[in-house]
């Protein structure tokens, strides 16, 4: 029996909801970008939402995630409120970085990192009727590190530090094929292998590192073979098959949590647009885009849900509406937030000034058990 065989109807619907919400958040960001309300670049995960959701869904909501710019689905799955994402992209004064950084360069450090808190699930009602997870039931989130590859040793450090403090935490870091060419990636994965650190690395073969094709990045045939020389398990999976990704990831997460150490998942997927909104991706063959458009993970997962009797077409349309409306509402709220006060530019520079606390707001999905 595969891990996905025991997923409940609500869990299957929740996975679809998280993927749909990730796409709708980005569609709304495109509108804001065209209105010049997004500060800096906008990086789409179009075509990759499925693997981001399916890998993160195999984790506990108290684990550590280190997503990159195309892992919006990781944030929706871990429960980050969309308003937080919109604020950050628009560099609002209320954003996670207080306007100091952009897109999903965000950080959330639960209280246990500073104090040895217990791991109990409690809900807080803020008066709006939406249950929100309290801090001791939240994940560690470390957003993209611009020096690609560096997130791997950082993830290893987070997981090792948690283990030293007696917490059964698994860390997961995502990396593109270009990032696997960096020294930090190899140093981090070697360290995690030798120390048997509970780390799962998701290496995404999305065919291009900006405009460089994967054939110019590595001579090996499969991205998961990057892990072969480090003596850790590795497996390649169809990144647009959400349940296949979940099954592989769940096995590696369970192995890590039980003391088996690090592993690497290679996901075969496709970046369906350019590196960012300013890139028209003219270097990508049109036939390649057309081929991968037929493998879009969302329609594929819709079919899975219908075939398994988990959802009707009407149910799925309701989820589509729910996600789209939620993304729009959250964007509208973020637009109204103020921009940073220039007088605060020196705040948060020195130790002891908690002007920009590494905290995010989390919400539970409508399908949470």
């Amino acid at each position: 029996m595969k891990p996905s065989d025991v997923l409940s109807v609500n869990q299957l619907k929740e996975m679809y909801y998280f993927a749909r919400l990730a796409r709708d958040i980005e569609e709304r960001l495109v509108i804001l970008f065209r209105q010049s309300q997004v500060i800096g670049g906008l990086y789409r995960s179009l075509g990759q939402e499925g693997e981001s959701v399916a890998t993160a869904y195999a984790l506990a909501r108290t684990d550590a995630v280190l997503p990159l710019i195309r892992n919006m689905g990781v944030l929706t799955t871990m429960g980050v409120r969309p308003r937080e994402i919109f604020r950050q992209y628009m560099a609002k004064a209320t954003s996670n970085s207080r306007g100091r950084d952009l897109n999903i360069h965000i950080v959330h450090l639960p209280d246990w990192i500073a104090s040895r808190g217990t791991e109990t699930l409690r809900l807080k009602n803020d008066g709006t009727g939406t249950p929100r997870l309290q801090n001791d039931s939240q994940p560690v989130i470390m957003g993209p590190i611009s020096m690609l590859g560096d997130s791997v040793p950082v993830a290893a450090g987070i997981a090792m530090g948690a283990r030293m403090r007696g917490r059964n935490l698994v860390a997961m870091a995502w990396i593109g094929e270009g990032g696997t060419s960096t020294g930090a990636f190899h140093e981090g994965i070697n360290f995690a292998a030798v120390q048997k650190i509970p780390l799962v690395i998701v290496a995404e073969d999305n065919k291009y590192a900006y405009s460089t094709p994967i054939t110019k990045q590595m001579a090996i045939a499969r991205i998961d073979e990057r892990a072969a020389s480090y003596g850790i398990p590795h497996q390649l999976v169809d990144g647009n098959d959400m349940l296949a990704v979940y099954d592989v990831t769940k096995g590696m997460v369970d192995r890590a949590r039980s003391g088996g150490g690090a592993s690497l998942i290679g996901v075969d997927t496709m970046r369906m647009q350019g590196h960012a909104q300013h890139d028209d991706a003219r270097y990508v063959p049109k036939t390649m885009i057309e081929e991968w458009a037929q493998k879009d993970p969302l329609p594929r997962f819709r079919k899975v849900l219908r075939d398994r009797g988990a959802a009707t077409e009407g149910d799925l349309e309701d989820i589509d509406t729910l996600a789209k409306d939620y993304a729009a509402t959250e964007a509208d709220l973020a637009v109204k937030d103020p921009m940073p006060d220039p007088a605060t530019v020196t705040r948060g520079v020195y130790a002891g000034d908690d002007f920009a606390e590494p905290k995010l707001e989390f919400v539970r999905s409508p399908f949470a058990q």
Side-chain angles (χ1 to χ4, degrees):
M1 178 179 288
K2 302 188 294 294
S4 61
D5 291 337
V6 298
L7 290 173
S8 68
V9 167
N10 258 20
Q11 287 175 310
L12 292 168
K13 287 181 177 179
E14 187 174 52
M15 288 180 71
Y16 178 73
Y17 169 76
F18 287 143
R20 183 72 254 181
L21 181 59
R23 184 168 292 186
D24 285 326
I25 288 171
E26 290 186 352
E27 293 290 353
R28 183 59 54 169
L29 282 168
V30 170
I31 295 172
L32 294 170
F33 181 84
R34 292 172 178 169
Q35 295 172 343
S36 297
Q37 297 202 64
V38 167
I39 309 299
L42 173 57
Y43 307 89
R44 292 294 307 273
S45 65
L46 186 65
Q48 294 183 231
E49 302 96 340
E51 53 98 352
S52 290
V53 169
T55 47
Y57 205 79
L59 294 167
R61 296 304 172 266
T62 49
D63 282 330
V65 294
L66 291 86
L68 291 184
I69 54 176
R70 278 179 239 291
N71 297 122
M72 184 69 74
V74 174
L75 300 181
T76 59
T77 302
M78 299 309 284
V80 176
R81 182 176 175 178
R83 186 179 184 181
E84 296 273 20
I85 298 165
F86 288 116
R87 284 169 165 171
Q88 186 71 8
Y89 259 100
M90 292 187 282
K92 295 292 187 174
T94 51
S95 69
N96 181 245
S97 66
R98 302 296 185 261
R100 269 67 174 171
D101 214 332
L102 305 170
N103 56 72
I104 62 168
H105 287 274
I106 55 178
V107 177
H108 181 79
L109 303 179
D111 290 341
W112 66 260
I113 289 182
S115 61
R116 295 178 183 269
T118 58
E119 192 171 299
T120 56
L121 181 63
R122 292 180 292 154
L123 294 178
K124 176 179 67 176
N125 194 314
D126 63 357
T128 65
T130 302
R132 290 180 166 79
L133 290 174
Q134 287 194 341
N135 195 267
D136 55 4
S137 302
Q138 296 169 356
V140 177
I141 296 180
M142 188 70 65
I145 299 173
S146 295
M147 290 66 72
L148 296 178
D150 282 56
S151 59
V152 175
V154 170
I158 292 171
M160 189 176 190
R163 184 172 66 186
M164 292 170 68
R165 300 180 67 169
R167 296 185 73 90
N168 195 8
L169 174 147
V170 174
M172 186 174 289
W174 288 257
I175 187 78
E177 75 274 3
T180 67
S181 295
T182 64
F185 167 81
H186 291 275
E187 293 167 4
I189 194 173
N190 184 63
F191 182 75
V194 172
Q195 298 294 330
K196 290 192 175 298
I197 292 172
L199 170 65
V200 178
I201 299 167
V202 183
E204 301 167 324
D205 171 8
N206 68 4
K207 307 299 174 281
Y208 287 87
Y210 205 121
S211 59
T212 303
I214 190 170
T215 53
K216 300 294 185 182
Q217 288 285 348
M218 58 190 76
I220 54 178
R222 298 172 13 178
I223 193 170
D224 66 302
E225 293 175 345
R226 287 290 208 197
S229 63
Y230 301 109
I232 63 173
H234 57 92
Q235 187 171 340
L236 185 69
V237 65
D238 179 354
N240 289 18
D241 182 337
M242 291 179 66
L243 293 188
V245 174
Y246 174 80
D247 287 334
V248 172
T249 308
K250 188 67 167 64
M252 292 189 174
V253 167
D254 290 348
R255 175 183 175 275
R257 203 179 304 281
S258 63
S263 56
L264 182 144
I265 303 165
V267 292
D268 181 27
T269 186
M270 177 69 190
R271 190 192 74 196
M272 294 300 290
Q273 292 190 349
H275 176 68
Q277 288 296 294
H278 60 264
D279 172 21
D280 63 9
R282 65 185 65 184
Y283 46 83
V284 180
K286 186 174 295 185
T287 54
M288 191 176 188
I289 294 292
E290 292 170 351
E291 174 191 349
W292 279 91
Q294 301 305 311
K295 304 176 184 179
D296 188 316
L298 269 64
R300 285 180 69 177
F301 198 53
R302 290 174 73 99
K303 184 176 186 304
V304 169
L305 295 181
R306 292 195 303 269
D307 290 348
R308 286 179 59 152
T312 65
E313 187 61 28
D315 293 334
L316 294 169
E317 289 174 358
D318 288 344
I319 295 174
D320 291 344
T321 300
L322 181 68
K324 185 175 182 178
D325 289 349
Y326 185 37
T329 299
E330 292 287 279
D332 290 344
L333 289 172
V335 165
K336 297 174 183 176
D337 285 353
M339 296 301 288
D341 181 353
T344 67
V345 69
T346 59
R347 294 291 308 279
V349 176
Y350 298 103
D353 183 357
D354 59 358
F355 180 67
E357 290 188 76
K359 303 293 181 186
L360 291 165
E361 184 178 355
F362 294 84
V363 296
R364 292 170 67 83
S365 87
F367 303 95
Q369 300 290 334

